[in-house]
């Protein structure tokens, strides 16, 4: 279904039944009995949950942004959308990455409805991800489609593969950023953006 939208999706998608059988295998492998009452419906629930978690493969972020507004009375100041909460899954462990995205851009004639920014974040977040790639994909897509004078994306997220397994470090978060155009080349533009998102005091250096 999504093959035309995302090259990563193989042509031959397994059936729902095959996906449910795979979950059953994982339950067995974990050491439980998939036939006991509490687990009977679990494979189908997990597959339904996966449909939500990975709905982004069927979405085209460029299409989401396609409708832009050009009559903005010459507005050319920074537009910032703060604290866009997202849920993603790390591609190494398939456990949640939960955090916030801050997006800014300097329009050049074209602006986009703010809900579209959030939908672009979700379209990329609802795939298997690493935070660095998510950050770059959001920034690059906004840059390509809106062709603004600059784009800034900062993501602050906590990774359950860090907090619930492996090194078990709850309370840690990771910050990534990608700055393009004026946000990369002009320190005062970058500072203004970081002030808007409450990060003015510096953790973030001069570029991605
Ligand atoms: Zn991981």
């Amino acid at each position: 279904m999504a093959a035309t939208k995302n090259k990563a999706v193989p042509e031959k998608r397994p059936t729902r039944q095959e996906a449910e059988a795979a979950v059953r295998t994982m339950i067995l492998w974990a050491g439980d009995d998939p036939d006991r009452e509490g687990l009977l419906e679990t494979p189908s629930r997990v597959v339904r949950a996966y449909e939500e978690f990975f709905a982004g493969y069927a979405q085209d972020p460029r299409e989401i942004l396609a409708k832009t507004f050009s009559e903005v009375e010459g507005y050319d100041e920074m537009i910032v959308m703060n604290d866009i909460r997202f849920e993603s899954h790390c591609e190494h462990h398939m456990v949640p990455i939960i955090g916030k995205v801050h997006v800014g851009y300097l329009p050049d004639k074209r602006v986009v409805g703010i809900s579209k920014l959030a939908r672009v974040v979700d379209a990329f977040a609802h795939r298997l991800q690493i935070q660095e790639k998510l950050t770059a994909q959001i920034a690059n897509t906004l840059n390509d489609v809106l062709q603004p004078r600059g784009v800034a994306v900062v993501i602050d997220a906590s990774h359950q593969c860090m907090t619930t397994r492996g090194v078990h470090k709850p309370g840690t978060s990771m910050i990534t950023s990608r700055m393009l155009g004026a946000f990369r080349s002009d320190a005062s533009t970058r500072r203004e953006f970081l002030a808007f998102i409450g990060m003015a005091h510096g953790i973030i250096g001069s570029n991605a």
Side-chain angles (χ1 to χ4, degrees):
M1 61 178 262
T4 53
K5 307 225 160 125
N6 189 309
K7 283 189 218 106
V9 177
E11 294 297 318
K12 212 166 172 290
R13 198 181 190 209
T15 63
R16 172 175 293 265
Q17 208 176 9
E18 286 169 328
E20 290 180 10
V23 177
R24 194 183 148 87
T25 300
M26 293 297 280
I27 293 170
L28 272 169
W29 187 83
D32 212 319
D33 171 13
D35 291 318
R36 72 176 171 84
E37 201 188 345
L39 289 175
L40 274 179
E41 299 295 319
T42 299
S44 71
R45 286 194 201 98
V46 171
V47 169
R48 279 203 300 278
Y50 266 44
E51 280 179 323
E52 279 184 49
F53 295 160
F54 303 116
Y57 289 112
Q59 293 165 1
D60 182 345
R62 287 165 183 273
E63 219 168 84
I64 292 169
L65 286 177
K67 193 178 173 205
T68 58
F69 306 100
S70 51
E71 286 176 35
V72 290
E73 304 281 340
Y75 184 90
D76 62 355
E77 298 293 324
M78 191 179 297
I79 294 170
V80 177
M81 194 171 176
N82 247 349
D83 290 341
I84 308 168
R85 191 195 134 96
F86 74 94
E87 294 145 11
S88 189
H89 285 78
C90 98
E91 66 184 31
H92 301 137
H93 304 93
M94 298 178 77
V95 295
I97 303 171
I98 295 172
K100 286 172 176 173
V101 184
H102 313 287
V103 175
Y105 68 103
L106 272 169
D108 184 16
K109 300 183 192 77
R110 302 161 85 186
V111 299
V112 71
I114 51 169
S115 68
K116 301 287 180 68
L117 296 176
R119 286 181 57 207
V120 167
V121 168
D122 280 343
F124 284 121
H126 289 163
R127 298 175 184 191
L128 290 169
Q129 279 292 2
I130 61 170
Q131 188 175 323
E132 295 87 337
K133 186 172 70 179
L134 178 61
T135 310
Q137 285 177 329
I138 295 167
N140 294 346
T141 302
L142 292 173
N143 202 45
D144 291 350
V145 180
L146 300 181
Q147 303 194 330
R149 287 174 292 137
V151 173
V153 175
V154 170
I155 299 184
D156 183 353
S158 116
H159 293 238
Q160 286 190 14
C161 55
M162 276 277 291
T163 59
T164 66
R165 58 158 295 286
V167 292
H168 291 277
K169 290 285 172 276
T172 52
S173 74
M174 183 161 104
I175 295 174
T176 48
S177 74
R178 182 156 177 84
M179 305 280 168
L180 301 172
F183 291 88
R184 183 184 278 263
S185 60
D186 178 8
S188 69
T189 299
R190 190 164 57 245
R191 261 199 309 277
E192 186 184 348
F193 171 71
L194 294 176
F196 273 136
I197 68 168
M199 285 187 178
H201 300 295
I203 8 186
I204 293 167
S206 60
N207 57 43

